[in-house]
Every structure is written in C-alpha cells, then in structure tokens.
Amino acid sequence: MDSIIDYSLLSFVYGALDDIVRKNQWDFMQNIANQVNLSWIVIGGLNFILSQNEKQGGNHVTQTYLDKSNDIIDSNSLHSINYIGNTFTWTNRRQGHELILERIDRVVAYLDWQHNFPSAITYHLVPLASDHCLILLATARKDTKTHKPFRVNKMWFRDPSCKEIIAHNWNANIQGSAPFKLTKAIFHTKQILRE
C-alpha cells in the first residue's frame, strides 16, 4: 500500500506592533510561502484583532484598524481555525475598568490545509507565567469508545443561551416517579450541553 506524505509550511510568529514593520513581516512570510508552494499554517501572537467582539475594555478599535488587520489575513488567503476555550487570549492583567482582554493569538491556514485536516481545532489553554494564553493546534481528534465523564465548563455560563438550554431541558415534560424524572432531566440536559 502506497502512503502519501503531505508537507505543509508552518510559520510561528510574534507579530509586529508597528504598521510598517507588520507589513514587512507579512510580506516576508508571504514571499516564503509563495516560493515553497505548500499548504501554509501560521500560529502565534499575531498582535491584532479581526473584529470588535475580539476585544473587551480599553480604547475603541476603529473600523480602519480592523480593515487593515483583516486585509493581512485576506490578502494572504488565510482563514482562522476554529477554537475551543476562552475567546480572549491576552490580558493586560489589570482590574476593574482598566482591564483589557483581546484575542490576538490564533491559528490561520490556507483552505487546502483545512480541507486536508477538517477536524483541526485550536485550544486556548490557561496562561502560565504570561499575559498570553497558550495555544495548541490539534490536527486530529481520536474517536475512542471509552466513556468520557461529563464536566461542566464555567465558561458556558457566560453565554445567555446556556441558562435557557438548561431550563428548557430540565423542565421537559417527563412522566414517571420523582427519581425517574430527575434522572431523565439530568441525562437530557447533559446531552444537550455536550452538543
């Protein structure tokens, strides 16, 4: 049986903060990507956000800034990989009104790479001795038959629909004894939350 080895270009980046240096940095990476002609993945601290909902606190981000940031990604034919975890990957570590949170760390890739790895996912992990979250790119998830225990993720409660999902499924019309109703309510609610 023949095996096909598929190569990819993987770039790790700590993005420049200055607009001119940032443009030079991305032009340099794009030049390399064009020369090697491989599926391209970029991972790291890009140091820019792509939409208003990727920032909380601090000064308002202008549409011009967002357009420039999106142009970098679009002009390089890159697309964000889906993620699991906290939306924000960076914090200024201040409190109250001075707190700023942003999603400036991400994984982006060519569409052909995403088609080769359709189950690829980025995990935003807990920050360790840094103001940035660790990011982990998993290219494949193993489907195992082992039972995985159900765990509640506190982040779910930030989404207003979570409480609605729980209330709707908990109060479903179930016939039977009180213990049977409780067991079924827990089971149905757990299934929906997993989804």
Side-chain angles (χ1 to χ4, degrees), residues 41 113 116-123 136-142:
I41 311 115
W113 186 88
N116 288 335
F117 298 94
S119 61
I121 194 85
T122 303
Y123 291 93
L136 171 71
L137 173 63
T139 56
R141 290 188 257 176
K142 293 183 180 178

Side-chain angles (χ1 to χ4, degrees), residues 23-113:
K23 182 181 180 332
N24 292 338
Q25 184 180 44
W26 281 92
D27 287 347
F28 177 78
M29 290 192 305
Q30 178 65 49
N31 187 35
I32 292 172
N34 289 339
Q35 287 179 25
V36 297
N37 197 26
L38 296 172
S39 290
W40 188 25
I41 311 115
V42 179
I43 185 170
L46 305 188
N47 280 327
F48 55 78
I49 62 172
L50 299 177
S51 68
Q52 293 288 352
N53 64 354
E54 292 183 349
K55 179 173 181 168
Q56 195 173 78
N59 294 332
H60 180 75
V61 177
T62 65
Q63 189 59 45
T64 303
Y65 170 88
L66 294 174
D67 290 344
K68 284 181 183 178
S69 300
N70 279 285
D71 187 52
I72 290 170
I73 300 301
D74 294 342
S75 65
N76 287 290
S77 301
L78 296 166
H79 303 272
S80 289
I81 303 290
N82 291 332
Y83 68 91
I84 294 174
N86 194 340
T87 299
F88 306 110
T89 61
W90 175 84
T91 176
N92 67 350
R93 293 187 168 185
R94 298 201 179 147
Q95 301 295 318
H97 297 296
E98 295 180 355
L99 177 66
I100 301 173
L101 303 168
E102 295 181 339
R103 181 183 179 208
I104 59 174
D105 305 275
R106 65 185 346 115
V107 179
V108 292
Y110 281 165
L111 279 179
D112 63 338
W113 186 88

